Amino acid sequence: MKNKLNQEETFETVRSTPNDASLSFIKTGTNTMAEGKGNISEKIEEEFLQCKICFEVYRTPRTLSCLHSFCEPCLELLLDKQKGTVTCPECRAVSDLQGCVRNAKASFFINSLLDLFRSKTTEQTACSLCPALGKSAVAASSRCLDCADFLCTSCAQGHCLSKLTLEHRVVSLEDYVAGRYDEEARRKQERHCQNHQEPLRFYCNTCSSTICRDCRMLEHFSHEVLSLAQATTARRPQLEELIGSLDGNIRSLSQQEQEVGSAIQQLKEAESVIIDQLAGHISLIMEQLFTQRDAVSKELSDFIQQQEQKYLSIKSDLCDHVNSAQNTKDFSSQVMQKGKDYEILDLEQTIQGQIERLKKVSIPVVETKTPLLMIKEDIDLSSGMFQLMFDVHADSQKSPNVSDTGIKQEPQTSAPKTAETCAQTSSSTPPQAQPAQAMQQIPPPSPCGNQHSNIPSSFSLIRSFDTDDDESSNQENITGISLFPSRDIVIADNSNFKIKRVIRNGRIRETITTEDTGCNDINPFSVAVCDDTIFFTSGSRLFKVPEDECDDIVQVCNLRGSHSEYCIAAYQNEYIAVSEGTSCSLSLYEPNGVLVDRVNPDYEGKFVFLAVNSMEEFIICDTMKKCIIVLNRAGQILNTCSSADSYSFNPRSVCVDKWSNIYVVEGKRIVLLSPSGDFVRQLFSFSGYTPKLIAADDHGHLITVNRKGNVRIYRAQL
């Protein structure tokens, strides 16, 4: 019996991917064993001691560095003889076996379970002592749990009477096979020293190996030696902590798996949206476009399939990492719970190495691509009206472990599903790919336009959200927009007596109510932010919002004239410029209400919307003459723009960016003027969205809002 483990030295640890059934076998112990031979054999063979390559009970099992176990003959078939490595068929981890499968570790944990399993599954068991006594083989009727020998009736009686074996535990073979003594048999199993055939009772800290009594007195006499129980007690907390550290790794991998699943769903939704756009446009044009639709649909379908395969591949890898980590934890926990001291010590380094490898697993970066549809109008239909573009999300390269900080990282949001077309000016330069979610394509500058070096070449839609709320009694009527240096957006809702300060993720930071404030008719119209304070007009008065929300709204001053509406704009933190309608003049007020200056050009018309650039030049919309004028503080008119392309020009809201480029809202489109006021090109032409107001910040963003409070944010690209 002492040679049994030596004969099976290649037996390895239990397969490290036990499912619930195998775990129930380990945990239930004697109760499960008592269920009968058929149930025990079936559970152990199918769920715990079965090789995942040949699907049979382990034959000389070997355990790889990833803690997955397989039969030695099966691993021989997987051995890469040139590299000397084996790739695990379950987790794809590579184990370096230096060209020989026997270099894979043998585990006594699975070995002892195999012994227990095989001792009960042999159909006809012969007495182990009769052949040694020169007798013919006789069927066994008992088993000695101490010697692990099968005994016939005669040998069992002599075994119980011998002085050497008087204290041994001899049980009937029927009860043993039924599983009534499994726990006791496991406790009595021992591993023996290969050199001295003595039980291994000690652990040498110096050599990190289990030793017997003779080894301790000879080769390891001067070494630091502990009992197996002491060594296990010393190492158990460290191993348990190491196993517990896998929880965070598992959660992180699971989160990445969910994100990949969401990316696949978004990809499907993008495909559906684009197919709908194609169908909507094609239904309005000639039969000739159906051929082009089929071609674009096929291109889209091919891309979706290819991209989905990439996502599924990454998701599969993440799933494998999660399973590997979970299985490692389950297996290690079982070893700690049910393994004997020398078994725990024997697997310590292997478990530690596998956990360290799992913790170093690099989570693959998901390259999130979304198809974009470009619609080219006013062109020869035979050359193709539709073109798919595939671009990487701006945040696809961001590490999954970096938390989203909100505004500064510009998270992506879904673009509106309404079809938006972009006008194309004639140019031989092909369209450039725009960032994800952008539904407009801006063509290159017209050759006839101003070739200013800081004129943006394109814009991409990065976010869209609504600012309306259920508490409003009337339908929204947004009449003013301005920006804080912190990038918050301020809008005035004239119908509901509200001014809202909105964060760029769509959340409303603050709502200022101008109703029931002690003054009559405070309907906010135009707003401006000056010195981090919100100023707004109502009728012919200028108000400001106090810093303390408990204070009342303060009237700054009365405005010149008796117009019902005054538009305002702030110049840095110095003053607020007020457009004075048919007076065709501007009044400049300090934040405290003191009149600084008046701008009186020699001009007739009606000044409405206005903006001030960094050179202190005023860009004003004249709604009477339907033009944009540019004048300096001295009142000198520098330029007048009264046409934009071949369209009739009816400008409304205006703004300037940090490069002094001018943006004008005109009906359902937005046009771009150079800093000097010359027409450059049309930027956007909308079909399902009508912008009312526009603003630009110092970070290259263009913000539009419609009458109902739908805000869209675009990013400029030079």
Side-chain angles (χ1 to χ4, degrees):
M1 107 37 190
K2 293 181 179 180
N3 292 326
K4 286 193 173 184
L5 291 178
N6 296 331
Q7 296 169 355
E8 302 289 344
E9 68 171 7
T10 56
F11 286 170
E12 184 42 14
T13 55
V14 188
R15 175 170 54 90
S16 64
T17 55
N19 56 21
D20 294 340
S22 62
L23 292 178
S24 65
F25 156 66
I26 294 297
K27 294 177 181 177
T28 53
T30 305
N31 294 335
T32 304
M33 292 295 186
E35 292 176 4
K37 174 180 176 181
N39 291 337
I40 296 170
S41 300
E42 181 180 351
K43 285 189 176 183
I44 301 178
E45 179 178 350
E46 293 183 1
E47 306 296 345
F48 205 74
L49 300 179
Q50 189 181 77
C51 173
K52 279 298 184 180
I53 297 177
C54 63
F55 297 99
E56 295 179 359
V57 176
Y58 286 121
R59 298 165 294 159
T60 57
R62 295 281 177 182
T63 297
L64 303 177
S65 59
C66 60
L67 296 182
H68 289 136
S69 300
F70 306 96
C71 298
E72 183 176 313
C74 296
L75 289 177
E76 290 285 0
L77 300 176
L78 300 178
L79 179 66
D80 187 337
K81 299 188 182 300
Q82 292 182 346
K83 298 180 180 179
T85 59
V86 168
T87 300
C88 176
E90 290 198 55
C91 68
R92 312 307 299 170
V94 178
S95 299
D96 186 7
L97 302 184
Q98 300 178 358
C100 182
V101 172
R102 289 181 177 271
N103 289 329
K105 192 172 181 62
S107 169
F108 299 95
F109 184 45
I110 188 172
N111 225 7
S112 60
L113 291 177
L114 281 170
D115 263 353
L116 184 64
F117 171 75
R118 287 173 174 164
S119 67
K120 298 193 300 179
T121 54
T122 305
E123 294 184 359
Q124 292 184 351
T125 306
C127 178
S128 303
L129 299 184
C130 284
L133 299 175
K135 299 179 182 180
S136 57
V138 179
S141 62
S142 306
R143 179 177 173 88
C144 177
L145 300 183
D146 295 88
C147 300
D149 285 332
F150 290 100
L151 307 173
C152 64
T153 302
S154 175
C155 291
Q157 292 174 354
H159 204 73
C160 294
L161 297 176
S162 173
K163 184 177 181 179
L164 295 176
T165 59
L166 183 63
E167 301 297 329
H168 285 199
R169 177 77 157 152
V170 179
V171 299
S172 70
L173 185 60
E174 180 180 358
D175 290 342
Y176 175 78
V177 172
R180 296 189 177 94
Y181 300 99
D182 284 341
E183 291 293 327
E184 186 175 353
R186 279 281 292 141
R187 287 196 301 270
K188 291 180 178 294
Q189 282 179 325
E190 289 184 330
R191 176 187 174 190
H192 290 72
C193 177
Q194 295 182 6
N195 297 327
H196 306 110
Q197 303 303 314
E198 288 290 330
L200 298 175
R201 302 289 174 81
F202 304 94
Y203 182 79
C204 178
N205 264 342
T206 306
C207 303
S208 297
S209 61
T210 52
I211 59 176
C212 68
R213 179 192 59 190
D214 292 349
C215 292
R216 180 182 184 186
M217 301 304 297
L218 298 174
E219 299 93 342
H220 302 267
F221 182 77
S222 61
H223 294 178
E224 180 184 357
V225 177
L226 301 173
S227 69
L228 292 180
Q230 290 174 331
T232 302
T233 301
R235 284 163 173 74
R236 182 181 291 271
Q238 182 181 359
L239 279 173
E240 290 176 345
E241 182 180 356
L242 195 61
I243 294 170
S245 67
L246 283 174
D247 291 337
N249 188 254
I250 293 172
R251 285 194 298 269
S252 178
L253 293 170
S254 299
Q255 181 181 359
Q256 290 302 307
E257 182 183 6
Q258 293 175 0
E259 290 177 359
V260 173
S262 298
I264 294 175
Q265 181 62 30
Q266 292 176 4
L267 194 66
K268 295 285 189 181
E269 292 175 358
E271 179 186 21
S272 176
V273 169
I274 292 178
I275 292 296
D276 290 342
Q277 287 180 324
L278 288 170
H281 282 285
I282 291 174
S283 64
L284 302 176
I285 59 177
M286 304 166 64
E287 184 67 25
Q288 180 182 4
L289 292 178
F290 283 95
T291 302
Q292 296 182 30
R293 180 198 63 179
D294 295 338
V296 174
S297 297
K298 184 179 184 305
E299 182 184 358
L300 174 66
S301 178
D302 292 342
F303 169 77
I304 295 299
Q305 292 177 6
Q306 294 174 5
Q307 193 72 358
E308 184 177 7
Q309 288 300 319
K310 293 179 182 178
Y311 287 144
L312 291 175
S313 176
I314 295 175
K315 183 178 181 181
S316 176
D317 290 343
L318 289 170
C319 183
D320 290 342
H321 290 323
V322 172
N323 290 337
S324 181
Q326 185 64 55
N327 294 333
T328 298
K329 179 180 178 182
D330 294 343
F331 172 78
S332 302
S333 299
Q334 292 304 317
V335 173
M336 298 300 294
Q337 294 174 9
K338 296 298 181 179
K340 303 186 73 174
D341 293 341
Y342 59 79
E343 294 168 348
I344 295 174
L345 296 172
D346 183 67
L347 286 172
E348 176 188 0
Q349 294 183 354
T350 304
I351 293 174
Q352 185 175 4
Q354 170 64 359
I355 292 177
E356 290 297 331
R357 279 188 293 273
L358 287 173
K359 293 173 72 174
K360 293 179 181 178
V361 169
S362 64
I363 302 173
V365 176
V366 181
E367 184 184 66
T368 309
K369 286 188 174 182
T370 303
L372 307 176
L373 181 64
M374 291 181 55
I375 304 175
K376 298 182 290 184
E377 296 184 350
D378 299 328
I379 60 173
D380 184 4
L381 296 180
S382 62
S383 66
M385 179 178 180
F386 302 99
Q387 178 182 353
L388 280 177
M389 299 190 70
F390 310 104
D391 199 9
V392 180
H393 281 268
D395 61 348
S396 65
Q397 300 299 324
K398 182 176 67 174
S399 169
N401 295 324
V402 178
S403 61
D404 187 0
T405 58
I407 298 173
K408 292 185 178 180
Q409 294 188 12
E410 295 298 348
Q412 302 293 328
T413 59
S414 299
K417 294 185 178 180
T418 56
E420 298 177 4
T421 64
C422 55
Q424 304 282 337
T425 58
S426 58
S427 173
S428 60
T429 306
Q432 300 297 317
Q434 302 304 319
Q437 307 296 350
M439 301 305 294
Q440 293 87 0
Q441 171 67 22
I442 294 83
S446 171
C448 61
N450 190 311
Q451 301 300 318
H452 194 279
S453 60
N454 287 326
I455 290 181
S457 62
S458 63
F459 281 87
S460 59
L461 177 65
I462 61 173
R463 189 175 296 112
S464 175
F465 54 85
D466 291 322
T467 59
D468 58 346
D469 54 64
D470 297 334
E471 299 178 358
S472 299
S473 56
N474 301 315
Q475 187 177 32
E476 286 75 9
N477 179 25
I478 306 302
T479 56
I481 184 171
S482 187
L483 304 176
F484 269 92
S486 64
R487 301 191 184 187
D488 284 4
I489 303 170
V490 179
I491 58 174
D493 183 356
N494 182 265
S495 297
N496 293 289
F497 301 90
K498 290 181 180 180
I499 296 174
K500 298 178 183 179
R501 181 172 178 175
V502 186
I503 305 175
R504 295 199 184 186
N505 59 11
R507 186 171 63 87
I508 297 178
R509 186 191 298 275
E510 182 183 9
T511 299
I512 299 104
T513 301
T514 61
E515 189 177 20
D516 299 328
T517 59
C519 300
N520 297 325
D521 301 328
I522 304 185
N523 294 71
F525 179 68
S526 181
V527 293
V529 176
C530 183
D531 198 17
D532 280 335
T533 302
I534 300 175
F535 292 82
F536 68 94
T537 59
S538 177
S540 58
R541 292 174 293 175
L542 178 65
F543 296 88
K544 74 174 181 179
V545 177
E547 294 183 4
D548 191 341
E549 60 182 13
C550 296
D551 293 341
D552 293 334
I553 292 175
V554 178
Q555 179 177 334
V556 177
C557 63
N558 291 318
L559 303 177
R560 295 180 69 256
S562 57
H563 302 292
S564 59
E565 298 173 347
Y566 289 82
C567 289
I568 59 176
Y571 174 67
Q572 300 178 359
N573 290 325
E574 296 185 16
Y575 58 76
I576 301 162
V578 180
S579 174
E580 296 176 339
T582 53
S583 299
C584 293
S585 59
L586 303 177
S587 291
L588 313 182
Y589 295 92
E590 290 182 347
N592 58 9
V594 175
L595 180 65
V596 179
D597 196 2
R598 296 191 67 245
V599 181
N600 278 305
D602 185 11
Y603 184 85
E604 292 184 359
K606 183 178 181 180
F607 288 0
V608 183
F609 298 98
L610 80 158
V612 189
N613 64 20
S614 59
M615 298 174 287
E616 204 173 1
E617 296 172 345
F618 302 93
I619 294 85
I620 304 170
C621 169
D622 180 352
T623 58
M624 181 181 293
K625 292 186 176 180
K626 297 181 180 181
C627 65
I628 297 293
I629 65 172
V630 181
L631 67 154
N632 58 22
R633 185 162 172 175
Q636 179 183 2
I637 297 177
L638 305 178
N639 197 7
T640 300
C641 179
S642 57
S643 64
D645 208 359
S646 59
Y647 294 88
S648 59
F649 197 43
N650 188 18
R652 305 297 293 176
S653 179
V654 295
C655 72
V656 293
D657 62 17
K658 63 179 180 179
W659 302 290
S660 296
N661 298 307
I662 303 170
Y663 303 89
V664 183
V665 173
E666 199 251 344
K668 287 183 175 291
R669 66 175 187 153
I670 296 175
V671 297
L672 172 64
L673 308 184
S674 71
S676 61
D678 296 321
F679 173 74
V680 177
R681 67 180 182 275
Q682 173 181 296
L683 291 183
F684 307 120
S685 178
F686 303 94
S687 61
Y689 178 77
T690 304
K692 182 176 182 180
L693 304 172
I694 193 167
D697 63 16
D698 291 336
H699 305 281
H701 296 117
L702 194 66
I703 300 96
T704 67
V705 63
N706 67 3
R707 183 179 184 276
K708 296 182 179 179
N710 178 263
V711 176
R712 296 189 180 185
I713 303 175
Y714 300 85
R715 180 189 288 117
Q717 296 179 356
L718 295 179

